[in-house]
Amino acid sequence: MNGVVSRLRLAAPQAVVPVGAVLVALLVGAVVMLSAGVDPLRGYDAMVRGALGVSSVDFSVAAFTAILAMSLAFALPARMGEYNLGGDGQLCVGGIAAAVVALHLPLPAPLLLPACLLAAVAAGALLAALSAPLTTRARVPVIISTLLLSTPAVALTSYLVRFPLADEGSGIPQTPRFPDAAHLPALPGTQYTNLGLLLVVLVLVVVVVVDGRTSLGFELRAVGANRGFARYGGVSVPGLTLGALASAGGIAGLAGAVVVMTQPFRFIDGALTAPGYTFAGVAAALLAGGRPALLPLTAALFTVLQVGSSGMERDIDLPRQLGQVLQAVVILVLALRTVAAAATARRARRRAPERS
């Protein structure tokens, strides 16, 4: 019992800024609603009902699956101080790889589903892994290389779905419907929530165990805390960077496969990027401080903001973009806190020689 109390005391100060960021975002949202002549309590009630109502909870859980996966794709390399902003590209190449296998690889039905998932993981991992040598050899920061690689990757998938893989006769840029063997089985009583949720939760459990109970997780945190000291201690930073980025890209690729192998069982141009799964995942990871065990909680919060904003627009005529504004405010508050902490650390280092 004493151990639990001590852990809570240690965790309490760390929770102040994330909780404060959420409260500031809610306050900003309330001000926006008041300026639009809407009662904030009524607005937030519509948002919660829009996400958790009986008619929408199935879709919300499906969105939560994608957001949780994308938060993992950001949080994993963030443990070592690298920031993966190429989630959209990794998500899209994973989805298009699954589509290519589903539509054009002649495999027996029992093998088609796992082949689609493995192709998606491999495609996302390969795209993310390209950033590793760029940072370890060419000194290009991961935060820049992943973002720059994402744009052509998304453009390539858009080209493929509009031309070589297009569903002929359709006015929408999309692939043909996947064969039944490439459909992820839906969970009982649902239409959009499927086996993908269990797969992402399984990945989460693996990441939590690796992060907290293995030497690999310790090395990731050590590099994030002090890269030079970790290198001096024998940690292979280039190899660790490659592994972390490839794993993150593989998780994002898996998320892309889960989305396209759910209703309507096809790759639709823009359907992976328009909902903002990557942005919400980054925000959820930042709010959790990169700690994998907290990601389900923060991902659920941003799922409510994202999905519920559509219900709010439908019920009380407030633009759904308000949900994105609230997410942006959370990120801004956390970023300001990081900048302030870095400035404080620099001042402390400058004062240290003076005291000695």
Side-chain angles (χ1 to χ4, degrees):
M1 184 67 180
N2 291 334
V4 174
V5 173
S6 62
R7 288 181 183 178
L8 290 175
R9 287 177 178 173
L10 290 173
Q14 299 178 355
V16 170
V17 173
V19 172
V22 174
L23 293 177
V24 170
L26 294 177
L27 180 61
V28 169
V31 172
V32 172
M33 292 180 196
L34 287 173
S35 66
V38 176
D39 180 2
L41 293 178
R42 181 166 169 254
Y44 284 125
D45 176 67
M47 178 178 284
V48 172
R49 285 188 289 104
L52 303 179
V54 175
S55 61
S56 56
V57 68
D58 181 18
F59 183 78
S60 294
V61 175
F64 167 78
T65 302
I67 292 173
L68 178 59
M70 298 312 296
S71 68
L72 278 167
F74 182 84
L76 186 58
R79 294 299 263 173
M80 65 175 299
E82 303 291 3
Y83 302 103
N84 173 26
L85 293 186
D88 275 350
Q90 297 151 22
L91 189 71
C92 286
V93 297
I96 204 69
V100 169
V101 171
L103 295 170
H104 297 287
L105 192 62
L107 287 175
L111 298 179
L112 188 58
L113 182 63
C116 292
L117 296 173
L118 290 174
V121 171
L126 178 60
L127 178 62
L130 293 177
S131 294
L134 290 176
T135 188
T136 56
R137 296 178 181 271
R139 306 300 179 190
V140 179
V142 168
I143 194 173
I144 294 176
S145 62
T146 52
L147 186 61
L148 293 179
L149 287 170
S150 178
T151 301
V154 173
L156 175 62
T157 60
S158 180
Y159 165 78
L160 292 174
V161 78
R162 288 173 180 271
F163 296 103
L165 301 177
D167 184 11
E168 297 181 4
S170 172
I172 301 174
Q174 62 184 8
T175 65
R177 182 182 171 93
F178 299 164
D180 291 346
H183 296 181
L184 279 171
L187 298 184
T190 67
Q191 182 178 8
Y192 296 100
T193 305
N194 55 33
L195 182 63
L197 173 63
L198 303 183
L199 293 175
V200 172
V201 170
L202 178 60
V203 172
L204 171 67
V205 171
V206 171
V207 172
V208 169
V209 172
V210 170
D211 179 72
R213 297 181 177 274
T214 68
S215 59
L216 180 59
F218 175 78
E219 289 179 356
L220 284 169
R221 298 193 302 276
V223 172
N226 191 319
R227 185 169 298 238
F229 181 78
R231 187 181 288 112
Y232 179 78
V235 176
S236 174
V237 175
L240 202 64
T241 303
L242 177 63
L245 287 173
S247 299
I251 295 171
L254 174 65
V258 169
V259 174
V260 301
M261 296 168 73
T262 305
Q263 287 279 6
F265 305 113
R266 61 179 79 220
F267 188 110
I268 303 173
D269 190 27
L272 292 173
T273 55
Y277 296 134
T278 298
F279 183 73
V282 169
L286 290 174
L287 187 62
R291 293 183 288 275
L294 296 181
L295 291 179
L297 180 62
T298 56
L301 171 64
F302 284 98
T303 300
V304 171
L305 292 178
Q306 185 185 85
V307 180
S309 59
S310 299
M312 185 175 59
E313 183 179 59
R314 181 182 63 250
D315 293 343
I316 59 176
D317 203 28
L318 270 177
R320 69 179 65 188
Q321 284 74 19
L322 180 59
Q324 297 176 347
V325 171
L326 298 182
Q327 296 177 41
V329 171
V330 172
I331 293 178
L332 179 61
V333 172
L334 294 174
L336 290 175
R337 183 255 187 185
T338 302
V339 171
T344 301
R346 284 195 299 269
R347 286 195 298 268
R349 285 195 296 268
R350 284 197 296 266
R351 292 173 182 172
E354 299 176 358
R355 293 174 182 170
S356 58

